[in-house]
Amino acid sequence: MSTSILEARHITKRFGGLTANEDVSLHLTGDPGQVVSVIGPNGAGKSTFFKMLSGFLTPSSGQILLFGQDITGMSPHKVARLGLVRTFQETTIFPDLTAMEHVSLAHQLHRTASDLEVVLRLPRARQDEQVLAQSSRDILALMELSASADTQARYLPQGLLRLLGIAMGLAAKPKVLLLDEPYAGLNPEETHRAVAITRKIAASGVTVLLVEHDMKAVMAISDRIHVLYFGKKIAEGTPEEIRNNPQVIEAYLGQEDEELGL
Ligand SMILES: Nc1ncnc2c1ncn2[C@@H]1O[C@H](COP(=O)(O)OP(=O)(O)OP(=O)(O)O)[C@@H](O)[C@H]1O
Ligand SMILES: [Mg+2]
């Protein structure tokens, strides 16, 4: 039997009279390192779904399991500890801090030594600092940000700030990483680079769950794609299957800003 990584069972989310997700199920199984995308027109419920998976919202009904453990309604912090992380929003970027300091800061949240040990500078804390500094450098290298390690965030272009946000998420050592529109606002060159880096993250053994409107990027990067439409899941399959699915094509017809890359 293949490993169960993440499972959403019959998730429904209501905001008053509005049903943002209705009976959405998704089962991510198999080897780590896959890229799985959730697509759908604006307002389809993609971000709502991600917020439930990562503990920022509680489903009205349904169940979420991470590696077989029920995480429904758990806090984002607890969910992150169990290995599922949603990337930091850009608002958590501090203009005066360098790229390296951002990743180190994100690491602080996940250090193993207690505060007291850090204050007393006990060996474990010192060792931790070295390990964390190395880990920060490794993450910056993976994200191709090494050259910007000592640059203050205020001087980093939009494309690199996006990558820095993802780097901060990686500091939590996730097994599953949720990226909600990581390429939005990037130019084609930046998108191309960010897609290649997303592949590298997956190749390092992190399962990536992606919400993205850039269909060219989605088709190129995804192992599997799930499609939401008005809160319901209408299709699931390989990029090829999704591209040729009549219901999906229908759902996207008339969407000027979103093309299926047909
Ligand atoms: N906190 C909230 N309270 C009330 N309604 C909400 C809330 N969050 C989302 N919604 C509504 O739920 C629906 C789904 O929103 P959601 O943000 O999940 O869509 P989305 O697929 O991520 O859209 P987009 O592609 O534009 O990011 C929308 O109609 C939205 O207005
Ligand atoms: Mg959204």
Side-chain angles (χ1 to χ4, degrees):
M1 210 185 94
S2 62
T3 321
S4 179
I5 300 170
L6 179 65
E7 184 176 6
R9 286 183 187 162
H10 306 291
I11 295 293
T12 292
K13 180 67 184 178
R14 289 186 202 90
F15 295 113
L18 187 138
T19 305
N21 277 188
E22 191 176 341
D23 197 25
V24 177
S25 292
L26 170 154
H27 198 181
L28 233 152
T29 59
D31 295 328
Q34 302 171 56
V35 178
V36 176
S37 295
V38 177
I39 65 168
N42 292 111
K46 307 177 295 292
S47 295
T48 301
F49 186 58
F50 267 28
K51 284 176 195 164
M52 287 188 283
L53 295 178
S54 51
F56 288 85
L57 284 175
T58 304
S60 306
S61 62
Q63 229 186 354
I64 300 161
L65 295 100
L66 181 63
F67 299 109
Q69 181 178 348
D70 193 338
I71 59 162
T72 321
M74 261 189 201
S75 71
H77 183 71
K78 268 194 180 164
V79 173
R81 291 237 152 175
L82 292 171
L84 187 147
V85 169
R86 198 166 71 122
T87 45
F88 283 69
Q89 304 292 304
E90 269 178 86
T91 46
T92 54
I93 298 278
F94 303 96
D96 293 332
L97 297 188
T98 66
M100 178 73 175
E101 285 166 343
H102 276 90
V103 180
S104 303
L105 191 68
H107 261 133
Q108 301 299 327
L109 303 170
H110 306 285
R111 61 186 314 150
T112 53
S114 72
D115 290 347
L116 188 60
E117 283 176 314
V118 174
V119 171
L120 297 175
R121 318 244 339 134
L122 293 177
R124 184 149 73 104
R126 270 205 303 275
Q127 204 181 13
D128 261 14
E129 265 166 39
Q130 283 170 11
V131 171
L132 292 188
Q134 186 56 49
S135 171
S136 296
R137 280 191 290 272
D138 291 346
I139 289 170
L140 288 175
L142 177 72
M143 300 303 297
E144 298 178 7
L145 285 171
S146 299
S148 306
D150 299 322
T151 306
Q152 288 177 310
R154 67 169 76 248
Y155 299 116
L156 292 175
Q158 177 75 5
L160 297 191
L161 284 176
R162 282 299 168 80
L163 296 179
L164 183 57
I166 298 173
M168 291 173 74
L170 288 177
K173 298 274 174 279
K175 297 186 182 87
V176 182
L177 184 66
L178 266 51
L179 302 175
D180 194 345
E181 300 198 34
Y183 316 133
L186 301 188
N187 66 39
E189 200 180 307
E190 289 171 329
T191 302
H192 191 260
R193 179 177 173 187
V195 165
I197 292 172
T198 307
R199 273 226 187 85
K200 280 204 311 189
I201 294 170
S204 78
V206 177
T207 300
V208 176
L209 202 53
L210 178 74
V211 163
E212 183 51 55
H213 281 293
D214 185 332
M215 283 307 141
K216 214 170 141 217
V218 165
M219 292 293 165
I221 201 174
S222 308
D223 294 300
R224 277 189 92 68
I225 299 173
H226 299 255
V227 187
L228 290 184
Y229 187 57
F230 286 110
K232 291 184 187 163
K233 194 165 109 173
I234 59 165
E236 165 185 356
T238 63
E240 202 50 37
E241 286 164 354
I242 293 303
R243 203 196 299 273
N244 296 310
N245 183 307
Q247 249 187 306
V248 177
I249 295 169
E250 180 70 29
Y252 273 85
L253 280 182
Q255 295 273 325
E256 282 174 25
D257 57 339
E258 298 169 41
E259 291 171 18
L260 268 178
L262 302 169

